[in-house]
Amino acid sequence: MTITGKVVAITGASSGIGAATARHLAALGASVVLGARRTDRLDRLVAEIETAGGTAVAARVDVTAPDDLRSLVALAVERFGRLDVLVGNAGISRLSTVAELDVEGWSAMVDVNVKGVLHGIAAALPVFTRQGSGHLVTVVSTSGLKITPTQAVYAGTKNAVRTLLEGLRQESTTGALRTTSISPGYVRTELVDQAIDDPGVREEVQRTMAEIGLDPGAVARVIAFAIDQPDDVEIGDLTIRPTRQG
């Protein structure tokens, strides 16, 4: 793999897909720059990676705050001289029917799932342009491909991200930027823990995810594969679409 020596920043890195990706990429020789709100978990993850012989640094990042994303990118450049990849993984879900009018939940999903990705792009793109190369890897969801009840707004945010990345791909004609969207289905993460208010329904969904959900490490391996591959690839339900102009 060509991941050895790459500098990769990851949002939502304190658990789930983000933490699994940090461990996997560090084991493959990447220097990982980790961002999340839960700094206690980030500190433990950095220590774990370093104990295993990897290289990692971390910073508190709330993706709804543009300055936090700029600081994460700046940390990568200051410590390692560049940023090769930004993995936009941070995301939240609130599951309810539209008729329940969870306006607060809608706003939170838009702020994290859509604006958070845009803030990452705004932070990384100037660095990628200056370097002449860079890769945006964004975790989307199969929820944006197959719409189901209670996921209308969540799916809408994921479709929005897919659309803006495709637009960015079409606009990026210099060959400096590569974009990849990865759409996993059920993954055994903490995403659902705050997504459902009803304890009984939440417990049922958690059981389903435990039974049929992907291990986060499987998604981490796909992210590594996407970073390593120069060509477009699509793999079953766990879809990755690397795209490149130039």
Side-chain angles (χ1 to χ4, degrees):
M1 278 193 166
T2 58
I3 290 173
T4 300
K6 286 189 180 294
V7 180
V8 183
I10 305 167
T11 66
S14 61
S15 65
I17 294 171
T21 300
R23 293 186 184 98
H24 187 57
L25 294 181
L28 293 174
S31 297
V32 293
V33 184
L34 312 180
R37 292 176 297 177
R38 295 176 292 189
T39 55
D40 55 335
R41 293 193 179 197
L42 287 180
D43 292 342
R44 289 195 295 270
L45 182 56
V46 168
E48 176 189 336
I49 289 170
E50 291 180 337
T51 298
T55 302
V57 294
R60 186 187 185 281
V61 171
D62 181 342
V63 297
T64 68
D67 285 346
D68 283 8
L69 271 303
R70 285 192 286 267
S71 294
L72 185 70
V73 171
L75 176 62
V77 174
E78 289 165 7
R79 291 294 297 270
F80 304 111
R82 67 187 189 281
L83 175 65
D84 298 305
V85 184
L86 174 62
V87 178
N89 167 71
I92 63 170
S93 177
R94 291 285 301 174
L95 303 183
S96 64
T97 64
V98 175
E100 291 176 67
L101 302 180
D102 180 15
V103 176
E104 183 178 349
W106 300 346
S107 296
M109 284 187 283
V110 169
D111 286 345
V112 174
N113 299 353
V114 181
K115 291 183 180 179
V117 171
L118 286 169
H119 295 159
I121 292 170
L125 200 54
V127 173
F128 292 164
T129 300
R130 185 168 65 248
Q131 293 173 166
S133 65
H135 191 177
L136 294 169
V137 178
T138 307
V139 178
V140 193
S141 173
T142 54
S143 292
L145 300 171
K146 182 178 180 180
I147 315 304
T148 59
T150 75
Q151 294 189 19
V153 178
Y154 175 71
T157 65
K158 294 302 184 178
N159 268 316
V161 170
R162 183 175 288 104
T163 298
L164 72 88
L165 288 171
E166 172 59 16
L168 177 60
R169 182 195 70 82
Q170 293 182 21
E171 293 170 359
S172 302
T173 58
T174 65
L177 179 67
R178 185 179 175 205
T179 69
T180 302
S181 298
I182 297 179
S183 294
Y186 278 133
V187 182
R188 296 194 298 273
T189 71
E190 300 172 10
L191 183 68
V192 74
D193 293 354
Q194 304 300 319
I196 304 169
D197 290 330
D198 186 297
V201 175
R202 183 170 60 247
E203 185 176 344
E204 182 180 345
V205 173
Q206 288 170 333
R207 280 199 302 269
T208 300
M209 291 182 71
E211 292 172 0
I212 69 171
L214 289 167
D215 183 271
V219 185
R221 291 190 291 275
V222 171
I223 290 172
F225 181 76
I227 291 171
D228 190 53
Q229 296 300 309
D231 301 316
D232 292 1
V233 182
E234 188 168 321
I235 306 177
D237 289 338
L238 217 164
T239 304
I240 65 174
R241 290 192 176 91
T243 52
R244 191 175 194 167
Q245 288 279 21

